[in-house]
Each structure stands twice: as C-alpha cells, then as structure tokens.
C-alpha cells in the first residue's frame, strides 16, 4: 500500500500527540478504500460551467491588456483584494475549516468568511467537504480533483464535469458536524450568492470607481475579474502542479510535492508533500514564515488574541518521518 501501512499508523499517532483535540480525523488518508473494478463512468460535461469559465478567462486576458491604462492606486487595490480573498481560502477555508489546525475567534471567523466570499470558490462548507475527501481519498476516484487524471483535470477540468459518484458517496460519510455547528459557516452558506455578488464583484469594482475616479471598465476588469482569475489559478495550481512537480522530502510514496513556485503564488500552500503528510499542522510547512504569508497572518492574529491553539508537528517527528519515508532531498 501507498503509505506502507506504518505511514497511516504514524499519522494517526501524530494526531494523538496533538491531543486529538481537533475534533476530526476525516482529513487523514484512508488506505482501506479501493477503487471499484470495471469501466469508469462516462465523462459528463457541464456546458454552463465550460462557457462561464471560458468567458471569465477571456475577461481576465482583457484585464491584463488594460493594466497599462489603469491608475496605480487601482493596481494596489487589486493586489490588496488578491491578498484578502487568498486569505479567505488559505487561513479560512483551508487551515481552519478543512483541517481545524488552529482556532479562530468569532470576529476573525466573520472576517475570513467575508474574505472567502470574495474568493468565490464555493461556500466554506462545500469547499471544506470537498477538501476533506481530497485528503482522505487522495489520487483515487473519490478525490474530486484526482491528479492521476492529468494536469488539466486536477487544475480546472473537475469543475467542468459531473463528479465521479464515489466522491459523493464517500463525501456523504464524512463527519462534518463541526462545520454544521459553526454559525459563521452556515450563515455564509445561506447567503452565499448574495455575498459573492457583493464581495467578489461589486465591492472590488466600486472602491476604485468611487474613491479615485477610476473608469468603471478598469475597476471591473482589474480588481474584480483579473484578481478573481488569478486567485483561482493560484489555488488550482496546488491541485495540479503541486501534485506533479517537486520533491517529496517527507513521503516519497505519495504524489503531492514541495513546489516553490506554487508556494509563492498561494501564500504558503505549495509545501504540499508536507501538508499531505501532516494535514493538521497550522503552518502547512516546517519552515515557519519562509514563503508563508498565511502563517505570518495566523501568528499575528494569535498575537492580537484573535486566534489560538495552533497545531504544530514537532521537529523530532518530522525528522523521523523524513528518515523513514522521505526521498532524501532535504539531506545535508
Ligand atoms: C473552485 C474551488 O475553484 C477550488 C477548490 C480548490 C481546492 C484546493 C485545495 C488545495 C489546498 C489548499 C491551498 C489553497 C491555496 C489558495 C491560494 C490562494 C492564492 N461530499 O456539486 P454537485 C453532493 S470553485 C458529499 O452539483 P455534480 C451535493 O451536496 C469555482 N456530497 O455535483 C449534491 O447533493 P444534494 C467556482 C457531495 O452534479 C450532489 O452531490 N465554482 C460532494 O457532479 C450534487 O452535487 C464553480 O466553478 C462531496 N464531496 O456537479 C462551480 N460533492 O443534491 C463548481 C457533491 O443532495 N461546481 N456532493 O444537495 C459545480 O458546478 C458542480 O459542483 C460540478 C459537479 C459541475 C463541478
Ligand atoms: Zn492536495
Ligand atoms: Zn489541505
């Protein structure tokens, strides 16, 4: 088996080392799952998504073309919107809600849920549910963006076709009680469409138009459309590139890899071999703030008293794991 059996055992015992106090373990790889025999179900295209995604990307190309005509303040604002929406994914949907790797106070969760709507990547509940099945059944039919189906499928293709039935079947068995009990998550889910219209499109567009007289065209195509597409692709690269290109210092038996370029664009989320080996580590890396804006943000929130209980894997455990299952790329 992939983790060599002992891998799973070790992962679970690490979980216990952490006090088992995340209240969940459904993001730990499940070795017992076997893909069904026989022919795979036919691919069913979702034309609505194919058309909208294509138009969105054409809009982003037009945005790129408009950059020289934009006011500097608009570009700064677009970058700020990038950071905010990215944090809604990394510090929010990913590190709190998918993995429970740290605790956030109510004001911080509200802030991150608003930032998450700005990123428009499905509501937090759906994102975290899909992400937990991704970790638990990584690189199988039950993984929504199964990277063994190729770069394009794991990047964006999975959003353009119906899901493999095993994703839904296995996803329905996950324990999502922590998400259902989180009022912020459920509130965002209830008002998701409205929150996306306001946060992903209206707010980024109206600020430059109202406050420094930017044209409506530049205001819409840069901080709204281009910024949205950049955050989407930075996120998707974690599923595609970081499952294909890079070293595997922690576990050479799994596909996810350490990818410097992805890490940079994704605010610290490209240390993906580490992350799949130790999904409960709040930093998704052993190197602290190095290339990891999200970790710096969470540490700042702790300093301000808005977050707590950061789960961290000990250096000894990391070293032991590297020695046992790593590819040797961190030696020396
Ligand atoms: C987007 C998401 O972009 C990106 C996520 C990326 C994840 C990255 C992770 C990497 C690590 C973190 C790094 C972060 C880095 C960030 C860097 C930032 C700079 N379990 O879905 P339906 C049920 S979204 C259980 O329609 P279809 C479901 O509840 C972009 N149940 O399936 C429903 O049941 P019911 C914008 C599940 O028909 C039924 O099944 N959004 C599960 O196959 C049908 O559900 C889009 O583009 C599950 N896992 O359609 C739209 N899944 O009827 C995307 C489903 O009872 N979505 N169910 O309610 C869609 O249009 C559709 O989902 C579909 C599949 C066409 C893809
Ligand atoms: Zn992954
Ligand atoms: Zn994860």
């Amino acid at each position: 088996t992939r983790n060599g059996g002992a891998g799973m055992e070790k992962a679970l015992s690490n979980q216990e080392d952490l006090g088992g106090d995340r209240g969940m373990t459904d993001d730990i790889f499940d070795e017992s799952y076997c893909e069904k025999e026989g022919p795979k179900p036919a691919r069913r295209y979702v034309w609505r998504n194919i058309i909208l995604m294509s138009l969105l990307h054409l809009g982003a190309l037009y945005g790129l073309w408009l950059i020289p005509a934009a006011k500097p303040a608009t570009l700064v604002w677009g970058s700020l919107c990038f950071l905010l929406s990215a944090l809604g994914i990394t510090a929010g949907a990913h590190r709190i809600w998918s993995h429970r790797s740290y605790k956030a106070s109510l004001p911080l969760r509200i802030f991150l849920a608003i930032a998450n709507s700005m990123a428009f990547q499905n509501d937090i509940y759906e994102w975290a549910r899909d992400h937990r099945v991704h970790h638990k059944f990584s690189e199988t039919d039950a993984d929504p963006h199964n990277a063994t189906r190729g770069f394009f499928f794991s990047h964006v293709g999975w959003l353009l076709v119906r899901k493999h039935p095993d994703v839904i079947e296995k996803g329905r068995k996950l324990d999502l009680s922590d998400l259902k009990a989180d009022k912020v998550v459920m509130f965002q889910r209830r008002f998701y469409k409205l929150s996306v219209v306001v946060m992903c499109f209206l707010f980024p567009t109206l600020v430059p138009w109202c406050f420094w007289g930017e044209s409506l065209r530049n205001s819409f195509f840069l901080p709204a459309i281009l910024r949205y597409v950049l955050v989407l692709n930075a996120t998707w690269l974690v599923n595609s590139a970081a499952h294909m290109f890079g070293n595997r210092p922690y576990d050479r038996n799994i596909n996810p890899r350490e990818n410097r370029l992805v890490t940079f664009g994704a605010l610290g989320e490209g240390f993906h071999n580490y992350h799949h080996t130790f999904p409960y580590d709040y930093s998704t890396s052993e190197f602290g703030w190095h290339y990891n804006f999200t970790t710096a943000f969470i540490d700042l929130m702790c300093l301000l008293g808005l977050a707590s209980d950061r789960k961290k894997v000990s250096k000894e455990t990391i070293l032991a794991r590297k020695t046992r299952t790593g590819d040797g790329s961190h030696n020396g």
Side-chain angles (χ1 to χ4, degrees):
T1 54
R2 226 180 46 157
N3 267 342
M8 186 61 197
E9 215 175 277
K10 188 68 190 167
L12 287 171
S13 71
N14 286 336
Q15 167 72 19
E16 280 151 25
D17 291 350
L18 292 163
D21 59 349
R22 285 189 308 151
M24 59 158 291
T25 49
D26 267 350
D27 57 352
I28 306 281
F29 183 69
D30 180 350
E31 280 195 71
S32 65
Y33 166 78
C34 284
E35 290 183 347
K36 295 189 179 82
E37 304 276 339
K40 306 271 181 203
R43 195 185 289 139
R44 286 188 291 148
Y45 295 104
V46 178
W47 287 103
R48 175 179 144 268
N49 289 12
I50 296 174
I51 291 166
L52 288 176
M53 266 306 167
S54 307
L55 288 176
L56 182 68
H57 282 72
L58 283 177
L61 283 179
Y62 181 54
L64 277 179
W65 163 263
L66 289 176
I67 288 180
K71 299 193 173 180
T74 308
L75 301 179
V76 172
W77 171 245
S79 311
L80 193 71
C81 291
F82 178 97
L83 278 182
L84 267 176
S85 39
L87 282 174
I89 298 298
T90 61
H94 193 219
R95 299 193 197 181
I96 308 178
W97 285 300
S98 298
H99 296 299
R100 296 280 165 199
S101 67
Y102 70 101
K103 288 203 178 99
S105 62
L106 182 66
L108 180 56
R109 277 183 291 133
I110 292 173
F111 169 77
L112 288 172
I114 295 171
N116 184 272
S117 288
M118 194 172 196
F120 185 12
Q121 289 191 9
N122 297 334
D123 62 47
I124 295 163
Y125 179 88
E126 186 170 340
W127 201 104
R129 180 191 65 192
D130 280 351
H131 192 64
R132 286 179 191 180
V133 266
H134 165 63
H135 275 265
K136 191 165 181 182
F137 304 103
S138 198
E139 333 279 11
T140 70
D141 285 339
D143 175 350
H145 30 85
N146 178 3
T148 65
R149 291 178 70 176
F151 188 95
F152 187 79
F153 179 83
S154 56
H155 193 75
V156 57
W158 66 284
L159 292 165
L160 310 177
V161 296
R162 297 279 166 216
K163 284 172 170 159
H164 191 288
D166 284 14
V167 173
I168 296 170
E169 188 190 315
K170 290 292 170 186
R172 290 216 161 111
K173 293 189 182 128
L174 292 179
D175 178 8
L176 303 173
S177 52
D178 58 309
L179 298 171
K180 287 177 189 145
D182 192 323
K183 292 211 167 61
V184 175
V185 172
M186 287 329 214
F187 186 86
Q188 193 230 23
R189 185 163 165 81
R190 184 153 165 217
F191 296 102
Y192 190 59
K193 283 199 182 120
L194 177 67
S195 72
V196 163
V197 171
V198 174
M199 287 311 299
C200 184
F201 300 108
L202 284 180
F203 178 60
T205 304
L206 291 180
V207 167
W209 185 65
C210 292
F211 289 101
W212 52 89
E214 180 60 274
S215 71
L216 204 50
R217 187 189 60 179
N218 290 352
S219 303
F220 179 67
F221 282 100
L222 290 164
I225 299 298
L226 178 60
R227 181 270 320 167
Y228 174 40
V229 167
L230 289 176
V231 176
L232 279 180
N233 282 277
T235 309
W236 297 340
L237 280 170
V238 179
N239 297 333
S240 54
H243 272 254
M244 282 172 202
F245 313 116
N247 293 330
R248 292 180 281 188
Y250 309 96
D251 195 336
R252 61 179 179 273
N253 305 309
I254 61 177
N255 260 335
R257 289 146 204 265
E258 305 289 283
N259 188 305
R260 183 68 62 92
L261 209 72
V262 173
T263 293
F264 180 75
L267 310 190
E269 300 279 21
F271 302 96
H272 213 50
N273 189 252
Y274 183 89
H275 177 57
H276 274 261
T277 309
F278 303 110
Y280 35 81
D281 190 311
Y282 89 100
S283 186
T284 71
S285 140
E286 68 168 307
F287 304 115
W289 292 10
H290 178 71
Y291 277 96
N292 208 328
F293 183 77
T294 306
T295 296
F297 173 81
I298 296 170
D299 290 345
L300 175 68
M301 290 303 116
C302 285
L303 204 70
L304 297 175
L306 291 166
S308 64
D309 292 288
R310 284 163 288 182
K311 311 282 179 287
K312 190 89 201 87
V313 181
S314 73
K315 282 282 174 202
E316 299 79 66
T317 306
I318 298 173
L319 188 65
R321 184 62 189 259
K322 274 188 191 169
T323 313
R324 196 163 55 78
T325 59
D327 66 2
S329 57
H330 274 184
N331 292 348

